[in-house]
Amino acid sequence: MADIANIVDLLSKLTVVEAADLVKKLEEAWGVSAAAPVAAAAAPGTAAPGAAAPAAEAQTTFDVILKSLPADKKIAVIKAVREVKAGLGLAEAKALVEGAPKPVLEGANKADSEAAKKKLEEAGATVEMK
């Protein structure tokens, strides 16, 4: 038991980076993944008895897709696209809007995606988040 207490003391003194490095080294040495037991342990409590459903992960990246827009809102939507997608020139934004349905943002985080969707919808566009 004294050895275990010493190990706990040593691990408590590790920085986050050192602890992450330790995890990687243990995974390599033992041929396991630290993430697998956590997912396997969570699945039985959430699944119905007899159901064989994998644990679903929360979506972290989203695509914002411009579906359509009314003709009278085209200029407002082009302006909104330029605000949402940094570095986009007028010609590129116009081509994107005229080519709808097209993705405006790809792989964006949830907050950015929701803000983009709101801005485009306020301009008059129909937008979908995937």
Side-chain angles (χ1 to χ4, degrees):
M1 285 301 204
D3 289 336
I4 293 174
N6 287 337
I7 293 171
V8 170
D9 288 339
L10 288 172
L11 291 176
S12 298
K13 294 176 186 175
L14 293 177
T15 65
V16 174
V17 174
E18 292 169 333
D21 190 40
L22 174 64
V23 169
K24 287 179 188 175
K25 296 218 185 277
L26 291 174
E27 287 176 339
E28 290 172 8
W30 295 337
V32 297
S33 173
V38 173
T46 58
E57 293 185 24
Q59 185 175 356
T60 57
T61 60
F62 298 87
D63 294 341
V64 178
I65 300 168
L66 175 66
K67 295 302 249 178
S68 63
L69 62 133
D72 63 330
K73 302 290 184 179
K74 184 175 175 181
I75 294 173
V77 174
I78 291 172
K79 288 179 182 179
V81 166
R82 290 189 68 201
E83 289 176 24
V84 167
K85 193 165 184 173
L88 200 62
L90 182 59
E92 292 91 356
K94 182 178 181 251
L96 191 149
V97 169
E98 289 175 346
K102 287 221 175 180
V104 177
L105 291 179
E106 295 178 302
N109 66 37
K110 186 173 183 176
D112 290 344
S113 298
E114 288 176 347
K117 181 180 179 191
K118 182 180 178 193
K119 186 172 286 287
L120 291 167
E121 286 176 341
E122 287 173 353
T126 304
V127 182
E128 179 181 308
M129 263 178 53
K130 287 187 178 180

